[in-house]
Amino acid sequence: MELIGLINYWIVIVLMMTGFYIVIAHDNLVKKIVGLNIFQVSVFVFYITMAKVKGGTAPILAEGITTYSNPLPHVLILTAIVVGVATTALGLALVVRIRDAYGTIEDDDFENQDGEP
Amino acid sequence: MGFMAVIGFAVARLRNLFAVVMLTGLFSLTAAVLYVILDAVDVAFTEAAVGAGISTVLMLGTLALTSSEERVEKSGGSKWALVLVVVTGCVLVYGTLDMPPFGDPTAAIHHHVAPYYLEKSGQEIGLPNVVTSVLASYRGYDTLGEVFVIFTAAIGVLLIIGRPQFGRRRSHRMLVGELHESMRTNVILRVGSKLLIPVILLFALYVQWHGDFGPGGGFQAGVIFASGFILYALIFDIDTARTMIPARTTRLFLVFGVLLYTGVGVAGLFLGGNFLDYSVLAANPVSGQHLGILLVEFGVGLTVAAAMISIFFTFAHQEH
């Protein structure tokens, strides 16, 4: 019975590891950024899962409601999402710039180019 | 959540980056639905606007500037990667065995500062939306820092690819350029977007000013506002959209939003309080909090909207 309560965390771990795998196993830079995004979303889900209280409701004060979910993780993740898209944009800008300089966005291709004089 | 895992695997396997990006959008939308189920309405709002909207457009822009097929590599190193991932996953699962079960009200996380926020913010700040109170007032320092991160990221994008004379040879296969002909002649798209854009902008303003009472706030409003302009630029013309909201204006707003936030904090200092202490802004502490939160959220909204718009136009402008 106790294990059922942990299923959410396990799916978060599966998602996180999927993102991790994409980042380390793929050479394509855009794919790596997508992997980082999945990793990021898994952390968000983890926080929001922890914030949930059984029988609670959204943390907007109203008459007649006594149980609310925890607002603090919501605040952290809310800002983290917008910061996440800003940093993703920065990463994509670097990818575009790398493509300009090397003509490829595959990791080992431009490492090979660096080796040549 | 199982659905999200399936999408994650599909993303890992697919080689066509275009499909991958589309799936990422879907992934974000699923995440947003999940957040609603888990009571995090503000977060769901942000995720839906950012993940399914802006970041998909930015990724598509990058794909159009680079290439949309991933090369098939030899699977030499990826076996070790798989082993590493599985081992790390097992360690993490072992770690979760000590975690409190889902939805447990006695978990440690619910007994630190959260009860204080839930009980006191109604009297001290007087806003129904606790998330906004915590975001803009109790944890105003964090939010200021995050606004600065967004500001810095936008400046970084402008510096890295903002100067067209830099690159040797630009790709001309920009997404917007490709779609131009079909989009311009499509009556449904044109009329539909003309009907939608005013509503989107109006909705953004509503989210901005109503964020104190319901779900919403500066972060969401900024993203929604920016997406209105991005929609216009996608369907009509980048240059027309650019004349409507020129680069100088967005850069000005970018700086002005950050300055407004910091300025509110400094004003508190001059009036005898601490940095970012809004209680001294008005005679009554509660209305001072209201004023402070309103101004700070406006600053956040300005910076986020300006950052998103200038990032988008920087990507879109590469075709020239």
Short mmCIF file of all heavy atoms in Angstrom, two decimals, chain A residues 70-96:
data_model
loop_
_atom_site.label_atom_id
_atom_site.label_comp_id
_atom_site.label_asym_id
_atom_site.label_seq_id
_atom_site.Cartn_x
_atom_site.Cartn_y
_atom_site.Cartn_z
N ASN A 70 0.53 23.30 -0.83
CA ASN A 70 1.65 24.16 -0.42
C ASN A 70 1.99 25.17 -1.51
O ASN A 70 2.35 24.78 -2.62
CB ASN A 70 2.84 23.24 -0.14
CG ASN A 70 3.92 23.95 0.62
OD1 ASN A 70 4.01 25.17 0.57
ND2 ASN A 70 4.73 23.19 1.31
N PRO A 71 1.90 26.48 -1.23
CA PRO A 71 2.16 27.46 -2.30
C PRO A 71 3.63 27.67 -2.63
O PRO A 71 3.95 28.13 -3.72
CB PRO A 71 1.55 28.75 -1.75
CG PRO A 71 1.63 28.60 -0.28
CD PRO A 71 1.49 27.14 0.01
N LEU A 72 4.51 27.32 -1.71
CA LEU A 72 5.92 27.67 -1.91
C LEU A 72 6.54 27.00 -3.14
O LEU A 72 7.13 27.68 -3.98
CB LEU A 72 6.70 27.36 -0.63
CG LEU A 72 8.12 27.88 -0.60
CD1 LEU A 72 8.13 29.39 -0.81
CD2 LEU A 72 8.77 27.56 0.72
N PRO A 73 6.40 25.66 -3.30
CA PRO A 73 6.95 25.06 -4.52
C PRO A 73 6.33 25.63 -5.79
O PRO A 73 7.02 25.77 -6.81
CB PRO A 73 6.59 23.58 -4.37
CG PRO A 73 6.43 23.37 -2.93
CD PRO A 73 5.86 24.64 -2.39
N HIS A 74 5.05 26.03 -5.72
CA HIS A 74 4.42 26.62 -6.91
C HIS A 74 5.16 27.88 -7.33
O HIS A 74 5.43 28.10 -8.51
CB HIS A 74 2.96 26.97 -6.61
CG HIS A 74 2.11 25.77 -6.33
ND1 HIS A 74 0.75 25.88 -6.12
CD2 HIS A 74 2.39 24.47 -6.24
CE1 HIS A 74 0.26 24.68 -5.91
NE2 HIS A 74 1.25 23.81 -5.96
N VAL A 75 5.51 28.70 -6.33
CA VAL A 75 6.22 29.95 -6.63
C VAL A 75 7.56 29.65 -7.28
O VAL A 75 7.92 30.24 -8.30
CB VAL A 75 6.42 30.76 -5.34
CG1 VAL A 75 7.27 31.97 -5.62
CG2 VAL A 75 5.10 31.18 -4.75
N LEU A 76 8.28 28.70 -6.67
CA LEU A 76 9.62 28.39 -7.19
C LEU A 76 9.55 27.91 -8.63
O LEU A 76 10.34 28.32 -9.49
CB LEU A 76 10.28 27.32 -6.31
CG LEU A 76 10.46 27.69 -4.84
CD1 LEU A 76 11.06 26.52 -4.09
CD2 LEU A 76 11.33 28.90 -4.70
N ILE A 77 8.57 27.02 -8.92
CA ILE A 77 8.52 26.42 -10.24
C ILE A 77 7.99 27.40 -11.28
O ILE A 77 8.45 27.43 -12.42
CB ILE A 77 7.67 25.14 -10.20
CG1 ILE A 77 8.32 24.13 -9.27
CG2 ILE A 77 7.52 24.54 -11.57
CD1 ILE A 77 9.79 23.96 -9.49
N LEU A 78 7.03 28.24 -10.83
CA LEU A 78 6.49 29.25 -11.74
C LEU A 78 7.59 30.12 -12.33
O LEU A 78 7.67 30.31 -13.55
CB LEU A 78 5.48 30.09 -10.95
CG LEU A 78 5.01 31.43 -11.45
CD1 LEU A 78 4.29 31.26 -12.74
CD2 LEU A 78 4.07 32.04 -10.44
N THR A 79 8.48 30.61 -11.48
CA THR A 79 9.56 31.44 -12.00
C THR A 79 10.58 30.58 -12.75
O THR A 79 11.12 31.02 -13.76
CB THR A 79 10.25 32.19 -10.86
OG1 THR A 79 10.57 31.26 -9.83
CG2 THR A 79 9.36 33.25 -10.28
N ALA A 80 10.77 29.35 -12.27
CA ALA A 80 11.77 28.49 -12.93
C ALA A 80 11.38 28.20 -14.37
O ALA A 80 12.25 28.09 -15.24
CB ALA A 80 11.93 27.19 -12.16
N ILE A 81 10.07 28.09 -14.66
CA ILE A 81 9.66 27.78 -16.03
C ILE A 81 10.05 28.91 -16.97
O ILE A 81 10.62 28.69 -18.04
CB ILE A 81 8.14 27.53 -16.09
CG1 ILE A 81 7.79 26.22 -15.40
CG2 ILE A 81 7.66 27.49 -17.52
CD1 ILE A 81 6.31 25.96 -15.32
N VAL A 82 9.77 30.15 -16.54
CA VAL A 82 10.07 31.28 -17.42
C VAL A 82 11.58 31.46 -17.56
O VAL A 82 12.10 31.72 -18.65
CB VAL A 82 9.39 32.55 -16.89
CG1 VAL A 82 9.66 33.70 -17.82
CG2 VAL A 82 7.90 32.34 -16.77
N VAL A 83 12.30 31.29 -16.44
CA VAL A 83 13.76 31.34 -16.53
C VAL A 83 14.25 30.23 -17.45
O VAL A 83 15.16 30.42 -18.26
CB VAL A 83 14.37 31.21 -15.13
CG1 VAL A 83 15.86 30.97 -15.21
CG2 VAL A 83 14.11 32.45 -14.32
N GLY A 84 13.60 29.05 -17.37
CA GLY A 84 13.99 27.92 -18.21
C GLY A 84 13.88 28.26 -19.69
O GLY A 84 14.78 27.95 -20.45
N VAL A 85 12.78 28.91 -20.08
CA VAL A 85 12.65 29.21 -21.51
C VAL A 85 13.67 30.26 -21.93
O VAL A 85 14.21 30.20 -23.04
CB VAL A 85 11.21 29.63 -21.89
CG1 VAL A 85 10.89 31.02 -21.48
CG2 VAL A 85 11.01 29.49 -23.37
N ALA A 86 14.00 31.18 -21.03
CA ALA A 86 15.01 32.18 -21.38
C ALA A 86 16.38 31.53 -21.58
O ALA A 86 17.09 31.83 -22.55
CB ALA A 86 15.09 33.25 -20.30
N THR A 87 16.73 30.59 -20.69
CA THR A 87 18.03 29.94 -20.85
C THR A 87 18.03 29.01 -22.06
O THR A 87 19.04 28.88 -22.75
CB THR A 87 18.41 29.15 -19.59
OG1 THR A 87 17.29 28.40 -19.17
CG2 THR A 87 18.81 30.07 -18.48
N THR A 88 16.86 28.36 -22.34
CA THR A 88 16.77 27.55 -23.55
C THR A 88 17.03 28.40 -24.78
O THR A 88 17.76 27.98 -25.69
CB THR A 88 15.38 26.91 -23.67
OG1 THR A 88 15.12 26.17 -22.49
CG2 THR A 88 15.29 26.00 -24.86
N ALA A 89 16.45 29.61 -24.79
CA ALA A 89 16.67 30.50 -25.93
C ALA A 89 18.15 30.82 -26.07
O ALA A 89 18.69 30.86 -27.18
CB ALA A 89 15.86 31.78 -25.75
N LEU A 90 18.83 31.02 -24.95
CA LEU A 90 20.27 31.30 -24.98
C LEU A 90 21.02 30.11 -25.59
O LEU A 90 21.89 30.28 -26.45
CB LEU A 90 20.76 31.58 -23.57
CG LEU A 90 22.15 32.18 -23.43
CD1 LEU A 90 22.20 33.53 -24.10
CD2 LEU A 90 22.53 32.30 -21.98
N GLY A 91 20.63 28.89 -25.15
CA GLY A 91 21.26 27.70 -25.70
C GLY A 91 21.04 27.58 -27.19
O GLY A 91 21.96 27.28 -27.96
N LEU A 92 19.80 27.84 -27.64
CA LEU A 92 19.49 27.73 -29.06
C LEU A 92 20.27 28.78 -29.86
O LEU A 92 20.72 28.50 -30.98
CB LEU A 92 17.99 27.91 -29.28
CG LEU A 92 17.12 26.76 -28.77
CD1 LEU A 92 15.65 27.11 -28.90
CD2 LEU A 92 17.42 25.49 -29.52
N ALA A 93 20.45 29.96 -29.25
CA ALA A 93 21.23 30.99 -29.93
C ALA A 93 22.66 30.51 -30.14
O ALA A 93 23.24 30.71 -31.20
CB ALA A 93 21.22 32.29 -29.12
N LEU A 94 23.22 29.84 -29.12
CA LEU A 94 24.56 29.29 -29.27
C LEU A 94 24.61 28.25 -30.38
O LEU A 94 25.55 28.20 -31.16
CB LEU A 94 25.02 28.67 -27.95
CG LEU A 94 25.44 29.65 -26.87
CD1 LEU A 94 25.66 28.92 -25.56
CD2 LEU A 94 26.71 30.36 -27.29
N VAL A 95 23.53 27.43 -30.46
CA VAL A 95 23.48 26.41 -31.52
C VAL A 95 23.51 27.07 -32.89
O VAL A 95 24.26 26.66 -33.79
CB VAL A 95 22.21 25.54 -31.36
CG1 VAL A 95 22.06 24.64 -32.57
CG2 VAL A 95 22.29 24.72 -30.10
N VAL A 96 22.71 28.13 -33.05
CA VAL A 96 22.67 28.83 -34.34
C VAL A 96 24.06 29.40 -34.68
O VAL A 96 24.54 29.29 -35.82
CB VAL A 96 21.62 29.96 -34.30
CG1 VAL A 96 21.73 30.84 -35.53
CG2 VAL A 96 20.24 29.37 -34.20
#
